[in-house]
């Protein structure tokens, strides 16, 4: 049995819990849209054809923000094909995923869905096959008041009020050779700069996200961010980061420690952004939008070039196990640990495509294992992220060297008195005995905190999954945490994720 000792003080903080941290991603890819969120004719479809059973799960997941419509898809998307009467919308070939795009869902439909589900839409513009004019047109269509051609077209399509979309991504992964319209850092920086400037002229309230790197191993990583920000620094609020994880060559220890990669990634992007700020003599802090992250078994995907062209094909529908859920929980911990500089994050994707929710066409929708750590973190991370001091046994990893087995973050909401601790034991073999001391509120009672609930995602079989036949095989179950005075103890089995909820006596 290993050991982890944690000291927590609500006075030592990282930053606010930012609601946009619990974002997700809907791409026109595979079955994310068609037979995912949208399936007219399904018994649970609403009058617009969207599945209410899926919408209900999205609400339960606690998603706050949804990026749309891609992804690689956006780099060859013509948004105007997806608005207006459905019968008039063309079928198009999507080159990114070699699929037939029916355009039965488009910008207006997505925004309507987002509003009904209660999530904020985050829109990406096509800087691959298109550019400035297209971005300006889409922004005018979405956000301008009626009286000129494009917003009047929106009105004619049934939307008198502007969509008022605040967050816009300036393209997608244009550093990647796989991206349609791939660019060098200099080429992208130029296009992003002129597009951002024009978009700001259309609507001064937009928040813009420049493309960062597609992952930390990109050959241009670091240089890309510097070059892009040197040109766009004054025009953007955020720079993106994307990362997907899987065990490489069977290296599960490094996979369980994927948070280490995400941590190094964020630190490097922040350092680069702040370097540009320093050179410019600016105090502005460009934030990181981690707008694609998840577990993705690339090794199970033959690659898009080998795909037969089809409509809504089953693409990368990874079935996740307990280990994957623990990794997802630990990545959320990493994101929270960087709440001072990560403004938004989107788990990719929402339904069917590497997703927490799976559906069967005409059939049910169910929660994958990774659904649970996301839903619990989104529900209980409130107020301010704390900075715990942790001493933990170490785990040796091939990719990152020795890392802490036990990783912790916590949030504190002074309004409600709730203090929630999120913990992961990344050791594959050793349980750990957690001892956590909470400092009392300043001048307050040392026994101020009482235990509300301890929920665990763990299974004796780390390869257990949820399936249509057994959708509740893996669900959070109660743990053994106990509080004595100001000290909390709990057993953390190997490969487990925990949400431990405390509250301050007498605040509520
Ligand atoms: O989420 C799947 C794909 O991963 C996205 O289309 C792309 O942006 C990333 O490479």
């Amino acid at each position: 049995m290993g050991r982890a000792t944690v000291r927590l003080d609500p006075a030592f903080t990282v930053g606010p819990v930012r609601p946009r941290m619990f974002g997700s991603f809907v791409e026109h890819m595979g079955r994310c849209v068609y037979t995912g969120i949208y399936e007219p004719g399904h018994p649970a479809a609403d009058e617009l054809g969207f599945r209410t059973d899926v919408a209900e799960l999205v609400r339960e997941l606690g998603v706050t923000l949804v990026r749309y419509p891609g992804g690689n898809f956006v780099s060859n998307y013509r948004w105007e094909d997806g608005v207006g009467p459905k019968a008039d919308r063309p079928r198009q070939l999507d080159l990114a995923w070699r699929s037939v795009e029916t355009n039965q869902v488009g910008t207006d439909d997505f925004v309507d869905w987002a509003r009904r589900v209660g999530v904020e839409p985050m829109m990406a513009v096509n800087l691959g096959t298109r550019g400035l004019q297209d971005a300006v047109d889409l922004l005018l269509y979405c956000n301008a008041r009626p009286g000129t051609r494009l917003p009047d077209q929106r009105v004619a399509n049934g939307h008198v009020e502007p969509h008022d979309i605040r967050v816009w991504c300036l393209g997608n992964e244009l550093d990647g050779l796989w991206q349609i319209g791939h660019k060098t850092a200099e080429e992208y920086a130029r296009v992003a700069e002129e597009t951002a400037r024009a978009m700001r002229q259309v609507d001064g309230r937009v928040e813009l996200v420049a493309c960062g790197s597609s992952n930390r191993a990109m050959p241009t990583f670091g240089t890309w961010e510097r070059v892009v920000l040197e040109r766009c620094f004054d025009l953007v609020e955020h720079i993106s980061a994307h990362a997907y994880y899987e065990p490489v060559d069977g290296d599960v220890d490094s996979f369980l420690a994927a948070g280490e990669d995400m941590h190094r990634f964020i630190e490097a992007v922040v350092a680069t952004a702040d370097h540009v700020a320093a050179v410019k003599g600016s105090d502005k802090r460009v934030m990181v939008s981690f707008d694609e992250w998840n577990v993705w078994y690339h090794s199970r995907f033959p690659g898009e070039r080998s795909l037969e062209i089809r409509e809504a094909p089953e693409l990368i529908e990874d079935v996740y196990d307990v280990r994957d859920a623990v990794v997802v929980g630990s990545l959320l911990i990493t994101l929270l640990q960087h709440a001072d500089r990560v403004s938004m994050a989107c788990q990719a994707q929402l339904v069917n495509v590497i997703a927490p929710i799976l559906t069967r066409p005409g059939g049910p929708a169910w929660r994958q294992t990774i659904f649970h750590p996301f839903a619990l973190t989104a529900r209980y991370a409130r107020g301010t992220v704390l900075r715990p001091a942790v001493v933990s046994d170490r785990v040796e990893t091939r990719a990152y060297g020795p890392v802490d087995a036990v990783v912790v973050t916590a949030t504190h909401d002074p309004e409600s008195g709730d203090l929630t601790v999120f913990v992961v034991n990344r050791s594959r073999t050793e349980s750990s005995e957690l001892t956590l001391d909470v400092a009392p509120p300043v001048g307050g009672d040392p026994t101020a905190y009482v235990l509300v609930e301890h929920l665990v995602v763990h299974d004796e079989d780390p390869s257990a999954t949820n399936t249509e036949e057994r959708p509740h095989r893996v669900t959070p179950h109660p743990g053994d945490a106990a509080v004595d005075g100001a000290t909390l103890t709990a057993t953390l089995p190997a490969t487990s994720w925990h949400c431990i909820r405390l509250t301050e006596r007498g605040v509520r």
Side-chain angles (χ1 to χ4, degrees):
M1 172 85 75
R3 283 185 61 76
T5 310
V6 180
R7 178 97 183 129
L8 206 54
D9 187 328
F12 299 160
T13 62
V14 179
V17 176
R18 299 175 194 270
R20 284 176 176 166
M21 191 76 95
F22 305 107
S24 189
F25 177 34
V26 165
E27 177 166 8
H28 282 254
M29 172 181 179
R31 298 194 309 113
C32 187
V33 172
Y34 304 109
T35 73
I37 60 170
Y38 178 80
E39 190 180 345
H42 187 280
D46 63 16
E47 68 291 357
L48 299 174
F50 285 90
R51 286 183 62 157
T52 55
D53 56 342
V54 173
E56 212 33 67
L57 286 176
V58 174
R59 287 191 198 98
E60 183 186 323
L61 187 60
V63 166
T64 51
L65 169 86
V66 178
R67 184 165 173 257
Y68 176 86
N72 298 346
F73 171 81
V74 78
S75 295
N76 76 149
Y77 182 48
R78 298 162 49 91
W79 65 270
E80 59 273 41
D81 289 347
V83 296
K86 292 203 175 192
D88 298 344
R89 299 185 191 175
R91 290 164 65 83
Q92 293 279 17
L93 175 64
D94 161 38
L95 299 171
W97 301 111
R98 292 175 54 81
S99 303
V100 174
E101 172 54 53
T102 63
N103 283 305
Q104 291 305 290
V105 172
T107 305
D108 293 327
D109 315 296
F110 171 73
V111 173
D112 286 346
W113 173 84
R115 301 293 184 215
R116 284 202 308 280
V117 174
V119 300
E120 180 184 0
M122 173 189 197
M123 201 63 78
V125 298
N126 175 354
L127 296 189
T129 57
R130 299 182 132 191
L132 189 160
Q133 182 68 63
D134 178 62
V136 163
D137 285 355
L138 178 59
L139 181 57
L140 282 167
Y141 180 89
C142 287
N143 283 11
R145 302 223 65 83
T148 56
R149 182 175 66 85
L150 285 159
D152 284 353
Q153 197 183 327
R154 182 192 71 232
V155 173
N157 290 336
H159 295 82
V160 177
E161 288 307 314
H163 290 322
D164 195 22
I165 296 166
R166 293 296 171 85
V167 188
W168 292 79
C169 305
L170 297 164
N172 177 71
E173 293 190 353
L174 286 143
D175 61 331
L177 276 174
W178 59 88
Q179 199 68 210
I180 298 170
H182 157 75
K183 293 176 176 37
T184 64
E186 287 76 13
E187 288 165 348
Y188 172 73
R190 173 86 186 92
V191 172
E193 179 195 20
E194 65 185 17
T195 306
R197 186 162 286 121
M199 287 177 80
R200 291 203 173 283
Q201 274 174 248
V202 173
D203 182 347
R205 296 187 314 162
V206 292
E207 284 181 48
L208 299 178
V209 186
C211 277
S213 293
S214 303
N215 59 67
R216 196 165 72 93
M218 293 298 289
T220 49
F221 178 55
T223 304
W224 177 278
E225 282 77 1
R226 178 182 56 74
V227 171
V228 168
L229 288 178
E230 275 169 359
R231 280 200 95 123
C232 301
F233 188 81
D234 294 328
L235 295 164
V236 301
E237 284 77 17
H238 317 265
I239 183 151
S240 72
H242 292 178
Y244 293 99
Y245 300 102
E246 68 180 319
V248 176
D249 299 329
D251 182 3
V252 175
D253 291 327
S254 300
F255 174 56
L256 286 168
E260 200 54 36
D261 177 84
M262 185 183 250
H263 162 73
R264 294 178 191 186
F265 196 166
I266 294 168
E267 298 258 289
V269 175
V270 166
T272 309
D274 291 354
H275 163 76
V276 177
V279 171
K280 288 182 180 289
S282 170
D283 290 329
K284 176 174 172 176
R285 289 294 170 256
V286 172
M287 304 292 279
V288 179
S289 172
F290 220 112
D291 47 42
E292 283 188 37
W293 68 268
N294 207 352
V295 172
W296 174 0
Y297 285 81
H298 273 92
S299 48
R300 296 178 192 158
F301 179 50
E304 53 273 27
R305 297 291 145 252
S306 66
L307 298 173
E308 232 179 80
I309 294 171
R310 281 186 297 146
E311 203 177 300
E314 284 181 19
L315 287 187
I316 57 171
E317 299 196 3
D318 284 352
V319 174
Y320 293 115
D321 64 17
V322 174
R323 236 180 258 124
D324 302 324
V326 169
V327 170
V328 162
S330 78
L331 293 172
L332 285 161
I333 290 175
T334 306
L335 289 167
L336 286 169
Q337 287 170 333
H338 290 278
D340 52 339
R341 295 304 294 272
V342 176
S343 50
M344 303 182 264
C346 302
Q347 189 182 37
Q349 299 188 3
L350 183 58
V351 187
N352 290 328
V353 178
I354 43 171
I357 300 168
L358 286 180
T359 69
R360 188 161 58 76
W366 63 97
R367 304 164 188 80
Q368 294 233 57
T369 59
I370 63 168
F371 184 101
H372 298 295
F374 190 107
L376 289 171
T377 310
R379 189 172 322 144
Y380 294 121
R382 288 284 177 274
T384 306
V385 182
L386 305 185
R387 193 183 292 283
V390 182
V391 179
S392 161
D393 288 340
R394 311 277 276 171
V395 176
E396 199 54 50
T397 67
R398 219 185 291 160
Y400 316 110
V403 299
D404 279 0
V406 172
V407 179
V408 184
T409 189
T411 65
H412 179 236
D413 182 2
E415 296 276 297
S416 62
D418 291 345
L419 188 149
T420 306
V421 187
F422 301 97
V423 190
V424 69
N425 180 3
R426 312 190 283 189
S427 167
R428 212 153 42 93
T429 48
E430 289 283 313
S431 290
S432 187
E433 203 53 59
L434 172 74
T435 308
L436 185 145
D437 284 312
V438 192
V442 178
D445 175 0
T447 63
Y449 292 96
V450 288
L451 181 68
V452 178
E453 191 178 32
H454 173 192
L455 291 169
V456 187
V457 175
H458 167 74
D459 199 284
E460 283 313 312
D461 175 8
S463 64
T465 58
N466 290 341
T467 57
E468 184 181 348
E469 294 69 36
R470 287 191 74 186
H472 304 297
R473 166 74 179 79
V474 179
T475 50
H477 58 267
D480 69 355
V483 173
D484 183 8
T487 303
L488 178 146
T489 51
T491 314
L492 313 175
T495 319
S496 62
W497 177 89
H498 304 253
C499 169
I500 306 174
R501 297 173 54 215
L502 305 169
T503 199
E504 226 172 296
R505 229 189 279 273
V507 172
R508 252 201 305 231

